[in-house]
Amino acid sequence: MSATVGERSGGRIAGLRQRLLHDLRNPLFRNGYALMANTAITAVLGMGYWWLAARLYAPADFGRGQAVITAMRLFASLTALGFVGALARFIPVAGRRTPGLIVRAYAIAGATGVTAALGFLITLPWWGPTYASLGGLGPGLFFLAAVLVWSVFTLEDVTLAGLRKATWVPVSSLGYGLVKMAMLVGLAFALPRDGIFVSWIIPAAMALIPINLLLFRKVIPRHARETETGSRPLAFREVGRFLSGDYPGTLSILASVYLIPVLIAARVDEVTFGYFSMAHTLGSLIELLAMNMATSLTVEGSFDRKRLASNSRRALRRALMIIVPIVIVTILAAPLILRIFGSGFADRGTLLLQLMSLAVLPRVLIEIYLSGLRALGQARRLALVQVSLAVLVLTGTLVLFPHTGVNAVGYALLLSELLIAALIFPGLRKMLNSGDSSQSTVTAGSA
């Protein structure tokens, strides 16, 4: 009897292994799984990083560090986040213009982020005492440099994904996370007030050099050679038209992940923000899983539009298969997860984490739909869906905050994403059920 059970168990394991190996031969799943693995590595190392920070730094310094990092990421993402969809869409078809496309994205994202951050520093008294530590020439210049570094750092992952080299992304994240944790410990006594922010940025700056050497010396030239004959010449005006429709949609991510935490930091004390930010960070990581498979779908939809419908169905099934168990576990175990960092985190962040986790389920449907629109270049519809979501989330948070406190963020996300998912569902169903078209396929040796 036990032998039979063992044989069945071994058969299931062998079947799962065979299925995984089959998936990894498909660029859609290989890129998607690599990005999801990167999110898992980021989550595990991130929890270790913040666990150390909660024990090595005073509660006020912990909350201040979180707030400054959130502000830095907001300004770094103002344009960089807008280029995420564009790079995923156009790198597969850019051919010999791939280097120019990526360099322009780096330059525009960095310049815009630094300009916006400078405006933030000039108006620093408006943003409350939490950000007072950025006053002065030295802290201000370091903050501007951090925005520039993070702008490029943000675009590296999607660049690798667009080049079908997303397997390098988790390797980069692993190295960055380990160095960041080591530096956090080392700075706990040398820079107790600013060690969290400094340890976050310096490893990112260190990572820029080897990754971009790999990109511009090896990966990008190979990609340009392999795709040049199978793709029409890329016109940067086409990228601009796409951005004009897609960029307003990035307000959805900016509002829920970056802008809202900055607004919360300006309304609560540093200790309260530390409790809020930990739950919000974990909830955002789960939401990022939904975006990972969608990014891969955008890339593959651009390489091969005629298989967009079948790829969308497979991406949705895999995303739900992975995300639904994670959401269930997170909702049930939220108090235990947050208690790792301290009882205050569990007491004041559990409901927010549960609400944000539940909101990821409709977000999966939204992201798959949006990725299909990006692959098809339907910028106006992209803008309509994403701007609507941004307005709903931001308005809901501001309206509910006086009544529910920081949990307003979770309620606003859940209600807004349920509503948008219901509205786009007919279009998503049509996309999933439509027959694969006869549009051209980009020739790529890596395919």
Side-chain angles (χ1 to χ4, degrees):
M1 182 70 175
S2 60
T4 303
V5 173
E7 290 173 359
R8 291 177 180 174
S9 177
R12 292 193 193 98
I13 294 173
L16 289 173
R17 185 186 301 113
Q18 189 66 26
R19 185 175 184 178
L20 178 61
L21 292 174
H22 179 268
D23 284 353
L24 292 176
R25 287 191 288 269
N26 185 329
L28 170 67
F29 295 137
R30 186 170 62 244
N31 262 1
Y33 288 163
L35 293 174
M36 286 184 168
N38 174 63
T39 301
I41 291 171
T42 301
V44 172
L45 293 180
M47 288 184 66
Y49 177 88
W50 290 117
W51 179 84
L52 287 171
R55 278 151 178 76
L56 295 173
Y57 293 80
D61 295 330
F62 179 91
R64 188 187 309 111
Q66 287 260 21
V68 174
I69 289 171
T70 301
M72 178 274 297
R73 294 175 71 183
L74 168 65
F75 298 116
S77 301
L78 280 177
T79 306
L81 208 60
F83 274 107
V84 168
L87 291 179
R89 167 66 180 84
F90 289 105
I91 283 177
V93 297
R96 61 183 176 82
R97 307 201 75 175
T98 302
L101 173 65
I102 296 170
V103 169
R104 290 189 185 198
Y106 282 2
I108 294 172
T112 306
V114 169
T115 302
L118 184 60
F120 172 72
L121 293 175
I122 293 173
T123 60
L124 205 58
W126 298 358
W127 298 92
T130 300
Y131 293 108
S133 62
L134 295 176
L137 181 62
L141 289 176
F142 186 82
F143 184 77
L144 294 177
V147 170
L148 179 60
V149 167
W150 201 259
S151 297
V152 178
F153 196 71
T154 299
L155 293 176
E156 286 181 341
D157 289 357
V158 71
T159 298
L160 287 165
L163 295 165
R164 283 179 164 173
K165 298 298 180 183
T167 48
W168 284 100
V169 176
V171 176
S172 171
S173 292
L174 180 62
Y176 167 69
L178 292 175
V179 174
K180 182 173 66 174
M181 291 173 68
M183 189 167 289
L184 176 74
V185 176
L187 293 174
F189 301 100
L191 290 173
R193 286 179 55 85
D194 302 313
I196 293 176
F197 185 47
V198 173
S199 69
W200 191 277
I201 291 301
I202 298 300
M206 293 166 57
L208 294 184
I209 298 174
I211 293 176
N212 281 286
L213 284 176
L214 171 70
L215 284 173
F216 286 96
R217 287 190 175 182
K218 184 176 181 181
V219 179
I220 293 175
R222 179 186 298 171
H223 169 81
R225 290 193 301 270
E226 291 174 345
T227 60
E228 185 174 9
T229 58
S231 60
R232 59 182 175 80
L234 175 66
F236 287 122
R237 289 192 301 272
E238 183 181 357
V239 181
R241 286 195 298 270
F242 179 88
L243 281 171
S244 67
D246 190 46
Y247 177 70
T250 62
L251 293 175
S252 171
I253 303 174
L254 284 170
S256 61
V257 180
Y258 301 119
L259 176 59
I260 285 178
V262 173
L263 296 177
I264 295 294
R267 286 166 168 76
V268 300
D269 60 85
E270 295 163 339
V271 176
T272 301
F273 183 79
Y275 295 144
F276 158 82
S277 188
M278 198 66 254
H280 186 269
T281 298
L282 294 175
S284 298
L285 282 172
I286 301 173
E287 188 174 53
L288 187 59
L289 289 172
M291 301 177 188
N292 293 152
M293 188 62 78
T295 298
S296 182
L297 177 59
T298 299
V299 173
E300 292 309 311
S302 300
F303 268 112
D304 190 356
R305 288 193 183 187
K306 66 183 182 181
R307 299 183 63 189
L308 178 62
S310 58
N311 278 340
S312 297
R313 291 192 296 270
R314 288 189 289 176
L316 179 59
R317 284 196 297 267
R318 289 294 195 279
L320 290 174
M321 183 176 69
I322 294 170
I323 291 173
V324 169
I326 293 175
V327 169
I328 293 173
V329 170
T330 303
I331 291 174
L332 295 176
L336 299 177
I337 295 171
L338 290 172
R339 198 168 295 277
I340 294 172
F341 306 97
S343 59
F345 292 92
D347 295 339
R348 301 172 70 173
T350 294
L351 180 57
L352 174 61
L353 179 56
Q354 290 171 331
L355 290 170
M356 291 187 67
S357 300
L358 190 59
V360 174
L361 296 179
R363 184 73 183 209
V364 173
L365 303 179
I366 296 170
E367 286 298 325
I368 294 296
Y369 180 66
L370 293 177
S371 68
L373 295 181
R374 287 191 184 97
L376 295 172
Q378 297 186 17
R380 290 184 180 179
R381 191 170 297 179
L382 266 172
L384 177 62
V385 174
Q386 292 185 286
V387 170
S388 298
L389 181 57
V391 171
L392 286 171
V393 172
L394 186 58
T395 304
T397 298
L398 295 177
V399 170
L400 294 173
F401 182 80
H403 308 286
T404 61
V406 297
N407 291 323
V409 177
Y411 285 117
L413 277 172
L414 178 59
L415 295 175
S416 301
E417 293 183 355
L418 282 172
L419 176 60
I420 294 297
L423 292 175
I424 61 96
F425 187 75
L428 174 63
R429 183 171 58 183
K430 183 178 180 181
M431 179 186 296
L432 297 174
N433 293 335
S434 63
D436 290 327
S437 69
S438 58
Q439 297 184 55
S440 61
T441 302
V442 176
T443 302
S446 58

